[in-house]
Amino acid sequence: MRTLSIITFLSILTLHAAPKCDADNGGIKLPEGFCAQLAVEGIGAGRHAVVTPNGDVYVALMSGRGSKGGVAALRDADGDGKFETIEKFGDLSSTGIGLRNGYLYVATVNSVIRYKMTPGQLKPSGEAEVVVANLPGEREHGDKGLTFDGKGFLYVNVGSPSNACQAQNRRKGAPGQDPCPILEEHGGVWRFDENKLGQKESDGVRWATGFRQEPAITWHDGKLYIVMNSRDQLDTLWPEKFTPEDNATRPAEPMFRVDKQGENFGWPFCFFDYLTQKPVLNPEYGGDGKEVGRCDKFSLPIVSFPAHWAPVDVEFYTGSQFPAKYKGGAFIAFHGSWNRSPMPQEGYNVTFQPFSGEKPSGKFEIFASGFPGKAEIKTSNEATTRADGVAQAPDGSIYITDSEKGKVWHVMYKK
């Protein structure tokens, strides 16, 4: 019998080392029984992520503020949970990302591109193919998410470059345009053929409309789900009607389920009031904070979250590592408010919303918190980390990405 040397033995142990959670969970707070390992940091402004069957992680990167766009490809070759191999490709500011039939799809501000993947190879060797080109992508609300229905179609959000479709955007007392011309090419989710190259927006189908900004989109159990960023500045634009407290607490971040093609969810005419759990007419269209008006004609949210939390990503949990109550529920990455002053900013977290079938069941809970870096902040610039993406791994654990320090946390259940 051959005797293994100590070096060889230690090498084998290293190759089979299991991920170990950090003593401080990488600086974030989690429910009892969960722990986290900081798997990597400094990769750039991370947005959405996707995990391959072999455990490689691909993170879409936003450009700006000294960060380059593109994609970061991460590999843990020795099984210790740390991504020691990092390869980057592309340079366009990106948010949405997904794997489908051997291709990696990436949603940039103005397009959807894809890369042919080679089994066992971390970085694609070929050039990107353009699936959809020349999408509207103005500076305000230009970020795009993507998702697939499993039937050959790709869905992409096109946000509205406006707060409430005023003729003069964010101008005190300016009325809203009626009808809103922005909705012709923005404010909706478009469906495209996932296999056809060189498409443009007019080649797609506007699947749903009436959204302000909605990069948090996903297809789950036969339906499209969307978590929307609602309106800002009720108090500063309409001080005679709304107080700073109204602005900080009332315009909910709603979650929608699209039940049929062509549904309208009410932006810019209405906002969903988090306090009363009812839709109300926006002041740009004559609303006083109480009047419902035309808002009873639009589809309602299936659940809502506090004002200005800023949802960026949503992922339904289909794994089995976590306790049973998480199965079928939705993890939502909120990267935090900027428009709650003089009250403290809030919403820097990953929230879990339980579901029963296609309907929410019970109150949401804060799943991961601690991202701002301190208990209370007055401006978003004080946040040292911000959750921007959630992705499920093959073993049922999840990854959380960060857009400030380029961190990726690996969250596991250990109880």
Side-chain angles (χ1 to χ4, degrees):
M1 182 176 179
R2 179 177 291 178
T3 302
L4 294 174
S5 69
I6 293 177
I7 294 176
T8 302
F9 180 70
L10 291 176
S11 297
I12 291 174
L13 287 180
T14 300
L15 287 171
H16 294 85
K20 293 183 179 179
C21 290
D22 299 330
D24 65 348
N25 291 328
I28 63 175
K29 299 177 182 179
L30 297 164
E32 184 178 355
F34 290 89
C35 63
Q37 178 186 45
L38 183 58
V40 74
E41 59 184 319
I43 63 170
R47 304 287 271 177
H48 297 181
V50 67
V51 190
T52 66
N54 74 338
D56 292 339
V57 176
Y58 292 84
V59 183
L61 302 176
M62 178 176 60
S63 64
R65 293 183 296 176
S67 179
K68 187 178 179 181
V71 176
L74 313 174
R75 175 169 287 173
D76 169 23
D78 57 15
D80 67 351
K82 297 283 188 178
F83 293 118
E84 66 280 343
T85 303
I86 304 171
E87 297 196 46
K88 294 184 178 181
F89 52 96
D91 58 5
L92 298 174
S93 188
S94 307
T95 294
I97 194 165
L99 287 165
R100 179 72 178 155
N101 292 336
Y103 287 93
L104 180 72
Y105 288 75
V106 181
T108 77
V109 172
N110 298 108
S111 65
V112 177
I113 58 178
R114 72 179 188 182
Y115 297 89
K116 180 65 176 176
M117 304 298 289
T118 302
Q121 185 173 301
L122 182 61
K123 182 178 178 179
S125 55
E127 294 296 319
E129 299 177 334
V130 179
V131 181
V132 186
N134 301 319
L135 289 171
E138 290 83 350
R139 182 176 180 275
E140 187 171 0
H141 307 151
D143 297 341
K144 292 173 173 60
L146 61 78
T147 190
F148 304 91
D149 63 8
K151 299 178 181 179
F153 294 105
L154 162 75
Y155 298 78
V156 183
N157 72 286
V158 180
S160 304
S162 173
N163 183 38
C165 203
Q166 294 171 289
Q168 296 171 301
N169 189 33
R170 300 181 187 267
R171 181 68 61 88
K172 182 178 178 180
Q177 301 175 85
D178 194 5
C180 175
I182 290 173
L183 291 174
E184 294 176 10
E185 296 182 349
H186 306 76
V189 174
W190 268 255
R191 187 186 77 173
F192 299 95
D193 184 334
E194 69 182 43
N195 297 306
K196 185 178 179 181
L197 302 180
Q199 298 171 90
K200 52 186 181 298
E201 188 179 41
S202 59
D203 295 318
V205 174
R206 186 166 58 178
W207 197 250
T209 190
F211 303 113
R212 181 173 173 270
Q213 169 60 333
E214 65 288 3
I217 66 172
T218 191
W219 188 272
H220 175 69
D221 201 21
K223 297 288 178 65
L224 182 68
Y225 290 83
I226 296 158
V227 194
M228 187 186 83
N229 288 251
S230 193
R231 65 154 307 135
D232 301 324
Q233 300 174 292
L234 277 172
D235 58 328
T236 56
L237 299 179
W238 303 94
E240 70 282 5
K241 296 182 179 181
F242 297 94
T243 67
E245 185 175 359
D246 289 330
N247 178 67
T249 59
R250 294 184 62 184
E253 311 286 46
M255 184 177 192
F256 301 111
R257 184 185 64 242
V258 182
D259 290 321
K260 60 182 184 297
Q261 180 183 343
E263 274 194 270
N264 191 325
F265 293 89
W267 183 90
F269 309 108
C270 313
F271 74 87
F272 193 75
D273 191 332
Y274 187 70
L275 300 184
T276 65
Q277 289 293 293
K278 295 179 180 179
V280 293
L281 194 64
N282 262 322
E284 288 79 5
Y285 296 91
D288 60 0
K290 299 178 181 179
E291 183 181 355
V292 174
R294 72 182 82 178
C295 300
D296 60 4
K297 299 179 181 179
F298 303 116
S299 296
L300 293 174
I302 56 173
V303 70
S304 67
F305 304 94
H308 309 298
W309 276 19
V312 184
D313 195 15
V314 56
E315 174 96 353
F316 278 85
Y317 186 73
T318 60
S320 57
Q321 185 189 110
F322 291 2
K325 77 169 190 175
Y326 292 96
K327 190 77 173 244
F331 287 101
I332 303 165
F334 292 95
H335 76 177
S337 68
W338 67 269
N339 188 223
R340 297 186 82 253
S341 298
M343 298 171 66
Q345 302 304 320
E346 291 185 354
Y348 299 80
N349 66 62
V350 174
T351 289
F352 176 74
Q353 173 61 55
F355 270 73
S356 177
E358 63 181 24
K359 296 181 179 180
S361 59
K363 179 71 174 174
F364 67 82
E365 66 177 53
I366 305 302
F367 179 79
S369 60
F371 295 98
K374 57 183 179 179
E376 183 175 300
I377 63 173
K378 290 295 185 180
T379 71
S380 60
N381 291 334
E382 298 176 57
T384 57
T385 53
R386 304 174 82 175
D388 272 67
V390 182
Q392 183 179 308
D395 67 354
S397 59
I398 66 171
Y399 290 96
I400 299 172
T401 63
D402 153 57
S403 60
E404 295 297 313
K405 300 295 184 181
K407 296 182 177 182
V408 177
W409 292 269
H410 187 193
V411 179
M412 297 159 275
Y413 185 72
K414 292 293 187 181
K415 190 171 182 180

